[in-house]
Amino acid sequence: MAETISSVLTLLCSGIQLFRAEKQIADYILAHPDEAVAMTSAELARSSATSEATVTRLCKKLGFDNYRAFQFALVHDMAEESSQPEFSYEVGLDNIPQSLQNILANKISELTATFHAIDPDNLKKILSILQNADTVEIAAVGNTIPVAMDAAFKFNQLGLRCVTSEISEKLSALALTLTERDVLLVISNSGRSYRLTQIAEAARQNRSPVILITGDRSSPLAALADYLLICTNREKLLTSAEFAFSRISAISIIEVLYHFMLVSTPGARENIRRHEELMRRDKTSS
């Protein structure tokens, strides 16, 4: 199985690239998890208007050895969620307190899956690379730009020379100047951005290490990265939208990197003090 937590619902929301028939199965499971959990592969195929072969192919693509392993993980998902009192994926103004609880439970599940997917040895290597880099370039486009801006601000506070931009042309130009002493940190939920792929390729040509924060470890960007940090996106369970994106798990990974570097980077707290002193004049006193 692909994930330690082995969550079918998490994997189906993760942005993994699916063919049309595979997506039909995924959409059916996300819309009817209580029914799908008890179905045979043949019943799931009929209910989603696909075939048993497609069901098997989807299981393999998600990292499960067979349908039985897939179903066992789905049973585990539903057992965990049924343990939460009065939980559902419904959000509406007619019951705001329950809707708030539903959103909270969904976000807790996102964070739990994201933290469980962090491998300690991989994290240590990433931290060392970031701390010892001459320059850290952080690249993102679209919805992940705010995450990149937040990361650059936090890492600069620690004393790292870190740059980013909302303009992809500037990111591309900078990537062409990176060296093996620098590092490129890419943030992409889908891992399928053409612009970010070009930036990663430019960095690799210059022998710069590439770190990727993404929801899909099988994406084109993941194939270019030297190190992966997997973020979980379960937003689709709440919105049922064709495109659903949550920044919370990506931001939480930045928080993890920040806090570990805070305690392990020489002079980090002094750098934060100097940074706050520099900014102090912009803050009004009460």
Side-chain angles (χ1 to χ4, degrees):
M1 285 177 276
E3 300 284 3
T4 302
I5 197 170
S6 302
S7 169
V8 171
L9 298 180
T10 293
L11 289 168
L12 291 177
C13 294
S14 66
I16 293 175
Q17 193 79 356
L18 301 177
F19 292 115
R20 182 182 59 80
E22 295 168 344
K23 186 176 180 303
Q24 286 178 220
I25 300 170
D27 288 345
Y28 180 85
I29 294 171
L30 293 175
H32 310 90
D34 293 323
E35 298 173 21
V37 72
M39 289 180 173
T40 64
S41 61
E43 290 170 336
L44 180 57
R46 284 196 298 271
S47 297
S48 58
T50 59
S51 66
E52 281 193 79
T54 306
V55 172
T56 300
R57 190 165 60 244
L58 175 63
C59 294
K60 296 283 188 181
K61 181 171 287 189
L62 295 177
F64 297 96
D65 293 333
N66 49 49
Y67 182 74
R68 184 177 179 180
F70 170 88
Q71 190 177 42
F72 178 81
L74 184 57
V75 168
H76 179 73
D77 277 353
M78 300 313 296
E80 280 196 342
E81 298 194 355
S82 65
S83 67
Q84 302 179 44
E86 301 181 13
F87 170 74
S88 74
Y89 297 118
E90 298 298 323
V91 177
L93 293 175
D94 56 325
N95 191 344
I96 290 179
Q98 182 60 52
S99 294
L100 289 172
Q101 184 60 38
N102 294 343
I103 294 170
L104 175 62
N106 181 277
K107 297 308 167 186
I108 290 174
S109 294
E110 278 190 0
L111 291 176
T112 299
T114 297
F115 275 65
H116 283 185
I118 297 175
D119 176 76
D121 291 335
N122 184 55
L123 179 61
K124 286 181 181 179
K125 293 176 183 177
I126 290 171
L127 291 169
S128 177
I129 290 170
L130 290 172
Q131 289 170 315
N132 291 294
D134 285 352
T135 300
V136 178
E137 177 182 1
I138 304 180
V141 295
N143 282 318
T144 48
I145 289 175
V147 183
M149 301 297 287
D150 179 62
F153 184 85
K154 282 185 167 64
F155 295 172
N156 279 328
Q157 278 191 313
L158 296 172
L160 276 66
R161 184 179 292 110
C162 187
V163 292
T164 190
S165 175
E166 309 96 309
I167 303 172
S168 61
E169 288 82 359
K170 289 182 65 176
L171 294 173
S172 298
L174 179 58
L176 291 171
T177 70
L178 295 178
T179 72
E180 58 188 14
R181 298 186 303 276
D182 304 316
V183 60
L184 174 68
L185 173 60
V186 182
I187 308 170
S188 173
N189 182 59
S190 69
R192 298 179 185 279
S193 165
Y194 179 70
R195 282 176 289 175
L196 291 179
T197 298
Q198 288 184 312
I199 290 169
E201 288 174 342
R204 284 187 64 87
Q205 288 173 4
N206 291 344
R207 298 183 179 180
S208 301
V210 178
I211 302 168
L212 173 65
I213 298 175
T214 186
D216 187 356
R217 64 174 70 248
S218 302
S219 65
L221 268 172
L224 288 172
D226 298 292
Y227 302 93
L228 292 179
L229 288 166
I230 303 300
C231 58
T232 298
N233 177 17
R234 290 169 64 101
E235 186 74 6
K236 193 172 183 179
L237 289 168
L238 291 175
T239 65
S240 299
E242 181 65 24
F243 178 80
F245 176 70
S246 172
R247 296 190 188 96
I248 288 179
S249 56
I251 289 175
S252 72
I253 289 177
I254 298 301
E255 291 286 332
V256 166
L257 296 173
Y258 171 82
H259 283 289
F260 275 108
M261 287 194 289
L262 174 62
V263 299
S264 61
T265 303
R269 295 186 186 277
E270 174 61 17
N271 279 311
I272 292 175
R273 187 199 64 77
R274 293 176 60 204
H275 184 271
E276 287 299 314
E277 181 65 22
L278 189 65
M279 299 294 115
R280 185 174 59 83
R281 295 179 181 177
D282 293 333
K283 300 178 181 178
T284 59
S285 57
S286 57

